[in-house]
Coordinates of all heavy atoms in Angstrom, one line a residue:
V36 N 80.4 81.6 178.6 CA 80.3 82.9 177.8 C 81.4 82.9 176.8 O 82.6 82.7 177.1 CB 80.5 84.1 178.8 CG1 80.4 85.4 178.0 CG2 79.4 84.1 179.8
E37 N 81.0 83.2 175.6 CA 82.0 83.4 174.5 C 81.8 84.7 173.8 O 80.7 85.0 173.3 CB 81.8 82.2 173.5 CG 82.9 82.1 172.5 CD 82.8 80.8 171.7 OE1 82.4 79.8 172.2 OE2 83.1 80.9 170.5
L38 N 82.8 85.5 173.7 CA 82.7 86.8 173.1 C 82.9 86.7 171.6 O 83.6 86.0 171.1 CB 83.8 87.7 173.7 CG 83.7 88.0 175.2 CD1 84.9 88.9 175.6 CD2 82.4 88.7 175.5
R39 N 82.2 87.6 171.0 CA 82.3 87.7 169.5 C 83.5 88.5 169.2 O 84.0 89.3 170.0 CB 81.0 88.3 168.9 CG 79.8 87.6 169.3 CD 78.9 87.4 168.2 NE 77.6 86.8 168.7 CZ 77.0 86.0 167.9 NH1 77.4 85.7 166.7 NH2 75.9 85.5 168.4
S40 N 84.0 88.3 168.0 CA 85.3 89.0 167.6 C 85.1 90.5 167.5 O 86.1 91.2 167.7 CB 85.7 88.4 166.2 OG 84.8 88.7 165.2
W41 N 83.9 91.0 167.2 CA 83.8 92.5 167.1 C 83.8 93.2 168.4 O 83.8 94.4 168.5 CB 82.5 92.8 166.3 CG 81.2 92.2 166.8 CD1 80.7 91.0 166.4 CD2 80.4 92.7 167.9 NE1 79.5 90.8 167.1 CE2 79.3 91.7 168.0 CE3 80.4 93.8 168.7 CZ2 78.3 91.9 169.0 CZ3 79.4 93.9 169.6 CH2 78.4 93.0 169.8
V42 N 83.7 92.5 169.5 CA 83.6 93.1 170.8 C 84.9 93.9 171.1 O 84.9 95.0 171.6 CB 83.4 92.0 171.9 CG1 83.6 92.6 173.3 CG2 82.0 91.4 171.8
Y43 N 86.0 93.3 170.6 CA 87.3 94.0 170.9 C 87.4 95.3 170.0 O 88.0 96.3 170.5 CB 88.5 93.0 170.6 CG 88.4 91.8 171.4 CD1 88.1 90.6 170.9 CD2 88.6 91.9 172.8 CE1 88.0 89.4 171.7 CE2 88.5 90.7 173.6 CZ 88.2 89.5 173.0 OH 88.1 88.4 173.8
T44 N 86.9 95.3 168.8 CA 86.9 96.5 168.0 C 86.0 97.6 168.6 O 86.4 98.7 168.7 CB 86.4 96.2 166.6 OG1 87.2 95.2 166.0 CG2 86.4 97.4 165.7
V45 N 84.9 97.2 169.1 CA 84.0 98.1 169.8 C 84.6 98.7 171.1 O 84.5 99.9 171.4 CB 82.6 97.5 170.1 CG1 81.7 98.4 171.0 CG2 81.9 97.2 168.8
A46 N 85.3 97.8 171.8 CA 86.0 98.3 173.0 C 87.1 99.3 172.6 O 87.3 100.3 173.4 CB 86.7 97.1 173.7
R47 N 87.8 99.1 171.6 CA 88.8 100.0 171.1 C 88.2 101.4 170.7 O 88.7 102.5 171.1 CB 89.6 99.5 169.9 CG 90.7 100.4 169.5 CD 91.6 99.7 168.5 NE 92.5 98.9 169.4 CZ 93.4 98.0 168.9 NH1 93.4 97.8 167.6 NH2 94.1 97.3 169.7
I48 N 87.1 101.4 170.0 CA 86.4 102.6 169.7 C 85.9 103.3 170.9 O 86.0 104.5 171.1 CB 85.2 102.3 168.7 CG1 85.8 101.8 167.4 CG2 84.3 103.5 168.5 CD1 84.7 101.2 166.4
E49 N 85.3 102.5 171.9 CA 84.9 103.1 173.1 C 86.0 103.8 173.9 O 85.9 104.9 174.4 CB 84.2 102.0 174.0 CG 83.7 102.5 175.3 CD 83.3 101.4 176.2 OE1 84.0 100.4 176.3 OE2 82.2 101.6 176.8
G50 N 87.2 103.1 173.9 CA 88.3 103.7 174.6 C 88.8 105.0 173.9 O 89.1 106.0 174.6
L51 N 88.7 105.0 172.6 CA 89.1 106.3 171.9 C 88.1 107.4 172.2 O 88.5 108.5 172.5 CB 89.1 106.0 170.4 CG 89.3 107.2 169.5 CD1 90.7 107.8 169.7 CD2 89.1 106.9 168.0
L52 N 86.8 107.1 172.2 CA 85.8 108.1 172.5 C 85.9 108.6 174.0 O 85.8 109.8 174.2 CB 84.4 107.6 172.3 CG 84.1 107.3 170.8 CD1 82.7 106.7 170.7 CD2 84.1 108.6 170.0
I53 N 86.2 107.7 174.9 CA 86.4 108.1 176.3 C 87.6 109.0 176.4 O 87.6 110.0 177.1 CB 86.5 106.9 177.2 CG1 85.1 106.2 177.3 CG2 86.9 107.3 178.6 CD1 85.2 104.8 178.0
L54 N 88.7 108.6 175.8 CA 89.9 109.4 175.9 C 89.7 110.8 175.2 O 90.1 111.8 175.8 CB 91.0 108.6 175.2 CG 92.4 109.2 175.2 CD1 92.9 109.3 176.7 CD2 93.4 108.4 174.4
L55 N 89.1 110.8 174.1 CA 88.8 112.1 173.5 C 88.0 113.0 174.3 O 88.2 114.2 174.4 CB 88.2 112.0 172.1 CG 89.1 111.4 171.0 CD1 88.3 111.1 169.7 CD2 90.3 112.3 170.7
W56 N 86.9 112.4 174.9 CA 86.1 113.2 175.8 C 86.8 113.7 177.0 O 86.7 114.9 177.4 CB 84.9 112.4 176.2 CG 84.0 113.1 177.2 CD1 83.1 114.0 176.9 CD2 84.1 113.0 178.6 NE1 82.5 114.5 178.1 CE2 83.1 113.9 179.2 CE3 84.9 112.3 179.5 CZ2 82.9 114.1 180.5 CZ3 84.7 112.4 180.9 CH2 83.7 113.3 181.4

Side-chain angles (χ1 to χ4, degrees):
V36 177
E37 191 172 324
L38 297 176
R39 305 221 183 214
S40 61
W41 54 264
V42 170
Y43 302 111
T44 303
V45 171
R47 182 168 280 172
I48 293 168
E49 179 186 45
L51 176 64
L52 292 174
I53 290 171
L54 185 62
L55 289 174
W56 175 82

